[in-house]
């Protein structure tokens, strides 16, 4: 049973920040990873905050944390405070006029490694006072919470307060290793590819990926031999002879063993979108990176 609140004046923004991460991650360990701290520290911070409020904010369950009724009510106000704090931070950052400092950019893994990194190297050479930090991560980082400054995504952004533009269209084709084609031949689309082996995204991502749906439509009888959420992992498996795979043409070109396969219909291309927050977009270094990336990607328009 929580004690009567005795220290309300001591509640700080850090209390709410820890609370918000716990509410979003639904576990002490997940929130600790996000904040770069330890699970025991998160537990102590939660107990201290609950003591200050005199209320239980989370039900402790075997599966993790679940907001209590009080926690759900506090969450709304905490998120409003976070929005106000981040807005103030963006305004402060936006007042910086110099072309200096760090710009954090995120993109899908293969795009960052194969295309974006060489392009950003050109930017860094031209602007030695700007540090570009590229984060290639399957987990979407938040522009509104300033976890990132510039993001490249396959698809439109849904958050409020963002500026975005389509900067290109990434073509895909169907590929297999020369050794695989020699052993099995190209897929027979007339019988749904009954003898073919496929390489696809993991099940968690398959439903949202256009090329996986394309494979199911044109090769419904083929069996899935290998799955990976890594495009480079898929390409490497295909190059080793594991089966047929839909890949971006720019990525496939890095694997000499792969051969393009003629298909009855084009493999869907993917729209590439660039996003940034309207406030941080006023910062010269961020705007410089945005304009540079958009200009370099004109070849994919």
């Amino acid at each position: 049973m929580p004690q009567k609140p005795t220290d309300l004046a001591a509640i700080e923004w850090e209390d709410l920040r820890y609370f918000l991460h716990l509410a979003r991650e639904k576990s002490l360990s997940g929130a600790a990873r996000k904040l770069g701290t330890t699970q025991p520290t998160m537990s102590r911070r939660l107990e201290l905050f609950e003591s200050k409020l005199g209320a239980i904010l989370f039900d402790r369950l075997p599966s993790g944390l679940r907001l209590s009724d009080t926690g759900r009510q506090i969450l709304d106000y905490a998120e409003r405070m976070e929005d106000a704090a981040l807005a103030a931070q963006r305004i402060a950052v936006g007042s910086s006029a110099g072309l200096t400092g760090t710009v954090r950019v995120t993109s899908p893994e293969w795009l960052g490694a194969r295309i974006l990194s060489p392009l950003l190297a050109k930017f860094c050479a031209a602007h030695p006072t700007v540090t570009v930090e590229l984060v290639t991560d399957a987990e979407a980082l938040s522009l509104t919470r300033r976890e990132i400054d510039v993001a490249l995504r396959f698809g439109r952004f849904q958050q409020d307060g963002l500026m975005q533009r389509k900067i290109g269209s990434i073509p895909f084709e169907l590929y297999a290793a020369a050794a695989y084609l020699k052993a099995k031949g190209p897929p027979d689309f007339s019988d749904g590819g009954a003898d073919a082996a496929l390489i696809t995204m993991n099940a968690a991502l398959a439903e949202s990926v256009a090329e996986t749906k394309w494979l199911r439509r044109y090769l419904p009888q083929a069996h899935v031999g290998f799955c990976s959420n890594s495009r480079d992992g898929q390409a490497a498996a295909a190059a080793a002879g594991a089966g047929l795979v839909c890949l971006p043409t720019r990525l496939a070109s890095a694997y000499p063993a792969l051969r393009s396969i003629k298909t009855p219909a084009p493999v869907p291309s993917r729209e590439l979108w660039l996003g940034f927050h309207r406030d941080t977009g006023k910062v010269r270094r961020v705007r410089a990176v945005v304009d540079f990336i958009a200009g370099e990607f004109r070849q994919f328009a």
Side-chain angles (χ1 to χ4, degrees):
M1 182 68 66
Q3 298 178 350
K4 181 180 179 181
T6 58
D7 204 15
L8 291 176
I11 293 175
E12 302 172 349
W13 165 243
E14 281 295 281
D15 295 325
L16 292 169
R17 191 167 74 92
Y18 277 73
F19 166 72
L20 284 169
H21 277 84
L22 287 166
R24 288 163 181 157
E25 299 300 319
K26 299 181 176 61
S27 74
L28 293 168
S29 58
R33 284 192 299 270
K34 278 287 188 179
L35 288 167
T37 186
T38 64
Q39 184 170 333
T41 297
M42 293 301 304
S43 180
R44 287 194 298 271
R45 293 293 306 235
L46 175 57
E47 291 175 2
L48 177 61
F49 190 32
E50 289 180 327
S51 176
K52 288 179 181 180
L53 293 174
I56 294 297
L57 300 177
F58 294 94
D59 298 323
R60 280 70 163 174
L61 305 174
S63 58
L65 299 175
R66 183 180 65 189
L67 282 166
S68 66
D69 290 341
T70 301
R72 282 192 292 272
Q73 295 178 59
I74 290 176
L75 178 63
D76 180 56
Y77 292 100
E79 287 178 333
R80 293 186 208 175
M81 292 179 67
E82 180 187 47
D83 289 342
L86 291 172
Q89 188 179 31
R90 288 191 297 266
I91 291 171
V93 171
S95 66
S96 173
L99 194 59
T100 184
T102 299
V103 179
R104 300 191 78 217
V105 181
T106 186
S107 77
E109 178 190 16
W110 77 267
L111 185 76
R114 301 287 178 175
I115 299 178
L116 197 54
S117 288
L119 295 181
L120 290 174
K122 292 169 56 179
F123 178 90
C124 293
H127 303 282
T129 57
V130 177
T131 300
V132 178
E133 180 184 349
L134 177 62
V135 181
T136 57
D137 200 329
E139 182 178 356
L141 298 172
S142 174
L143 290 163
T144 56
R145 294 198 292 271
R146 295 204 69 241
E147 295 172 339
I148 210 76
D149 297 308
V150 182
L152 279 75
R153 296 277 184 259
F154 290 116
R156 295 182 66 95
F157 295 80
Q158 303 301 321
Q159 301 109 310
D160 294 331
L162 301 187
M163 305 295 289
Q164 59 182 304
R165 65 176 80 166
K166 178 185 172 184
I167 61 172
S169 183
I170 305 297
F172 279 65
E173 291 183 16
L174 184 65
Y175 294 92
Y180 174 91
L181 294 173
K182 183 178 180 180
K184 289 199 168 187
D188 186 348
F189 289 95
S190 66
D191 72 355
D195 295 327
L198 302 181
I199 299 171
T200 68
M201 280 289 182
N202 290 350
L205 298 172
E207 293 302 322
S208 61
V209 177
E211 61 271 17
T212 299
K213 297 177 182 178
W214 184 93
L215 285 169
R216 288 177 178 170
R217 178 179 179 184
Y218 290 97
L219 296 170
Q221 301 305 315
H223 75 278
V224 176
F226 181 81
C227 299
S228 175
N229 67 341
S230 166
R231 292 288 187 192
D232 264 297
Q234 293 176 7
L244 309 169
V245 63
C246 292
L247 291 173
T249 56
R250 287 289 294 269
L251 174 58
S253 66
Y255 291 84
L258 294 178
R259 301 289 183 268
S260 177
I261 298 170
K262 185 177 181 180
T263 59
V267 179
S269 60
R270 300 287 297 276
E271 290 185 348
L272 184 62
W273 288 77
L274 182 151
F276 55 97
H277 197 280
R278 63 164 60 98
D279 293 337
T280 51
K282 300 172 186 176
V283 181
R284 282 189 61 200
R285 63 179 181 273
V286 174
R287 194 74 204 195
V289 171
V290 166
D291 291 343
F292 174 83
I293 293 174
E296 291 292 319
F297 271 88
R298 287 196 185 101
Q299 60 184 305
F300 299 108

